Amino acid sequence: MHCDITRCYHSAVPRRGKFITFEGLDGTGKSTQLRRLAATLRAAGHKVVETREPGGSSTGERIRKVLLDSDTAGLSPRAEMALMFASRAQHIAEVIEPALEHGSIVLCDRFTDSTEAYQGSGRKLGTPAVLELHRILCGDLQPDLTILLDSNPAMSVNRARRRNKRKSRTSSRGHADENRFEQETRAFFSRVRDGYLSIAKREHARVAVVNASGTPAQTHRQIMEVVSRKLKF
Ligand code: TYD
C-alpha cells in the first residue's frame, strides 16, 4: 500500500499563501535580493516570512552550524545530504507550512534545488536520490516560484569567500564560521551551476533564471517583473 506523509501537504484545502524560493551559487546576492523583495511586498500590504536553509528553525540552525563550519571535517556526502534534509523537514513542519496556511508569502533562501545542485551534481549523488528523499521527507512540497540567480561562478564564489572570511575574522563577536563550502574547487562549483541550469530546463514553469551580474537594483527590477508576471500580485 502506498501510505506516505505526502498527503498532509496535499489536502483538499487550498493553500492560501505563496512559497517563493531563491537559488544560486554562493555569492550571487540571494540574501540581498530576498530582503529587497520582502520589503517591496510588505510595502504593498502582503504578510511576508523571510527564512533560509539550511536553518530556518532552531533545530535547523543548529544543524546549519555543523554543516557550514569549516571545522566539520570528513563529513561524507550522504551524511551531508541527510543533514540538509533533516533541517528541511523540521523547517517545513515548524515554519513553512504554518506560514502558508496563514496566508503569508514565504521567501526562502535555498530549498531542495540546492540539494539537487550541490549534493546531486556537486557531490555526484545524482538527481533521483534527491527527488526521492524530497518526496519521502518533505511531502514533495514544491515552491510556487523559484528565482535562480545566475552569474559567473568564479566571480560569485570569490565574492562569497571574501565575505565569509570577513565574517570569520569577527567570529569573536558572534559570527559563525561558514566557510566549509567555499573551500570547494572550481570544478565543484561548475557542476553545481550545471545542475541548476538542468533543473531550470526541466522545471521551466516553476524556475525563472535571472541574470545576477548587473547592479542589485537591476536584478531587483528583473525579479519584480518575474514575480508579478508569474504570481499575478
Ligand atoms: P548560504 O548560507 O545560502 O550560502 P551563500 O549565502 O554563500 O549562498 O548556504 C550555505 C551553503 O550550503 C551553500 O554553500 C550551499 C550549501 N547548501 C547545500 O550544499 N545543500 C543544500 O541543500 C543547501 C540548502 C545549502
Side-chain angles (χ1 to χ4, degrees), residues 19-31:
F19 184 29
I20 305 179
T21 58
F22 279 75
E23 294 285 355
L25 286 173
D26 310 62
T28 43
K30 283 179 290 87
S31 318

Side-chain angles (χ1 to χ4, degrees), residues 28-196:
T28 43
K30 283 179 290 87
S31 318
T32 308
Q33 291 302 332
L34 188 150
R35 276 197 302 274
R36 284 184 87 138
L37 177 61
T40 308
L41 292 173
R42 283 197 184 103
H46 296 283
K47 279 186 286 181
V48 179
V49 171
E50 295 171 61
T51 187
R52 68 171 178 182
E53 292 200 350
S57 69
S58 59
T59 305
E61 290 294 323
R62 288 161 76 183
I63 298 173
R64 178 183 176 94
K65 277 207 183 85
V66 174
L67 277 164
L68 304 189
D69 193 319
S70 52
D71 277 347
T72 301
L75 189 64
S76 82
R78 287 196 179 91
E80 182 180 276
M81 178 153 79
L83 288 173
M84 293 294 178
F85 271 112
S87 161
R88 181 164 304 129
Q90 185 62 26
H91 189 205
I92 290 173
E94 200 176 313
V95 177
I96 300 176
E97 276 296 334
L100 291 174
E101 271 161 30
H102 251 99
S104 297
I105 299 174
V106 177
L107 302 184
C108 188
D109 192 341
R110 298 191 181 281
F111 194 61
T112 298
D113 294 329
S114 281
T115 315
E116 190 176 340
Y118 282 76
Q119 281 66 50
S121 299
R123 302 277 191 231
K124 304 185 179 172
L125 293 176
T127 286
V130 176
L131 298 185
E132 183 66 0
L133 285 171
H134 185 68
R135 192 184 66 75
I136 296 167
L137 299 173
C138 304
D140 211 23
L141 176 69
Q142 298 296 326
D144 296 290
L145 170 66
T146 296
I147 292 157
L148 171 55
L149 294 183
D150 188 45
S151 69
N152 176 297
M155 230 174 62
S156 45
V157 174
N158 281 339
R159 190 153 70 172
R161 282 195 185 119
R162 282 198 301 275
R163 174 200 60 198
N164 288 355
K165 272 209 193 104
R166 253 196 329 270
K167 278 199 198 163
S168 322
R169 265 190 248 117
T170 54
S171 58
S172 53
R173 278 180 261 146
H175 288 296
D177 167 348
E178 297 198 335
N179 290 299
R180 201 170 67 83
F181 279 92
E182 277 79 9
Q183 289 161 4
E184 287 300 332
T185 60
R186 190 175 286 199
F188 174 87
F189 287 111
S190 130
R191 286 198 298 280
V192 172
R193 181 171 185 240
D194 290 347
Y196 270 134

